[in-house]
Amino acid sequence: MAAAIAAAAAAGTAAVAAARGAAGRAAPLQLKTTAYIAEDQPMLMVPSSRFISAESMLEEELKFLEKAFPEVIVPPFVLALGLLLHGAQGRDSKFHPLIKSLPSGAELRNLPSYMKPAERRMLKGTDAFALASNLDQEITETYEQYVRPIAAAADSPFGGKVPPLSRWRWSLAITWRCSITLPLPSAGQRGESGGIKVLARFLCDA
C-alpha cells in the first residue's frame, strides 16, 4: 500500500521553474561567481531546520519503523509520516516554524488528493475519474492500515495519539507538492536511486 502511494507521489511531483524577462519572454536563469568553483564543491548550505528529509526521520524519530513496520519504509511515506508527527507536536516540534510556513489545506484544494466526491463524479467516463477515486481510497486505506497502528504503537513517538485523517491527507499533499529527491552521495541506500527525499517550503513554489 505504501508503495502504491509512493508511485502516485513520484508521478505527480514534477515541477518546472521559469524566469521571465522585462518583456515577458522566457529568460535563462544565470548564476555569476567571483571565483572558480570545482565540479563537486558545495555552493549552497541549507540549515537542517529549514527542511525535513525521509532519511533523517528514519535515523531519529521514526527509527522504530525499521523493525515494527518495515513494509512502510518508502521515502514519500516516511516523509509524510514525519511531517504528520511534527505537525502533531505543534510548538514543541523543532520544525514548527517550517510547518507553520507550509500551505494550508485550503491552499492545496486544487490537488487531486483534495478533490471532493461531487468533483470526482464530474469526471466519470474518463481515466481521471478512476485515478482520482483510487488516490482517495489509497489515502484512506493507508491511514487505517498503517498510520493509525503506527501512531498507537507503544513505542511510537506519537505517544498513542492518533492524528485525524484530514492531517494525513494534508501531510501527503504537502509531500507530493513540496518535496524533491536529491541525488546526494551521503544518502546511503535508503533514498530513491541513491538519493534523499527532502521537503522544504521554497519547493512549494517551484
Side-chain angles (χ1 to χ4, degrees), residues 32-110:
K32 296 182 178 180
T33 64
T34 58
Y36 173 76
I37 298 177
E39 181 177 350
D40 298 326
Q41 181 179 341
M43 298 177 62
L44 175 66
M45 299 297 290
V46 180
S48 59
S49 61
R50 292 295 183 180
F51 67 87
I52 300 176
S53 73
E55 184 189 50
S56 66
M57 288 293 103
L58 283 174
E59 290 177 347
E60 299 175 11
E61 295 94 331
L62 300 179
K63 188 175 180 60
F64 84 107
L65 291 177
E66 294 182 327
K67 290 185 178 180
F69 299 90
E71 66 273 26
V72 304
I73 305 299
V74 181
F77 187 94
V78 172
L79 189 57
L81 194 63
L83 185 60
L84 182 69
L85 169 63
H86 282 278
Q89 293 176 348
R91 292 184 177 277
D92 293 331
S93 169
K94 61 183 178 182
F95 295 115
H96 177 66
L98 168 60
I99 293 175
K100 188 178 179 180
S101 73
L102 295 171
S104 65
E107 294 175 281
L108 300 171
R109 63 184 180 278
N110 290 328

Side-chain angles (χ1 to χ4, degrees), residues 3-15 76 112 131 176 192 197:
I5 287 288
T13 53
L131 290 172
W176 297 335
E192 297 173 336
K197 195 72 172 176

Side-chain angles (χ1 to χ4, degrees), residues 115-205:
M115 189 174 289
K116 297 179 180 179
E119 294 173 324
R120 287 199 299 272
R121 287 194 293 270
M122 294 175 64
L123 298 175
K124 276 191 173 182
T126 68
D127 292 339
F129 173 75
L131 290 172
S133 299
N134 290 340
L135 177 60
D136 185 70
Q137 182 179 353
E138 290 286 353
I139 292 173
T140 302
E141 289 183 355
T142 53
Y143 176 77
E144 294 294 339
Q145 296 179 19
Y146 294 110
V147 176
R148 289 182 64 89
I150 288 172
D155 53 349
S156 169
F158 286 88
K161 297 180 180 179
V162 182
L165 173 61
S166 60
R167 289 302 293 177
W168 175 238
R169 185 180 301 276
W170 176 83
S171 297
L172 284 172
I174 287 292
T175 297
W176 297 335
R177 182 68 184 88
C178 308
S179 70
I180 59 173
T181 299
L182 300 177
L184 301 179
S186 61
Q189 298 302 314
R190 285 184 173 135
E192 297 173 336
S193 303
I196 177 173
K197 195 72 172 176
V198 174
L199 182 151
R201 175 62 185 91
F202 66 89
L203 295 174
C204 301
D205 302 319

Side-chain angles (χ1 to χ4, degrees), residues 1-26:
M1 196 68 66
I5 287 288
T13 53
V16 177
R20 295 287 175 180
R25 293 173 296 179

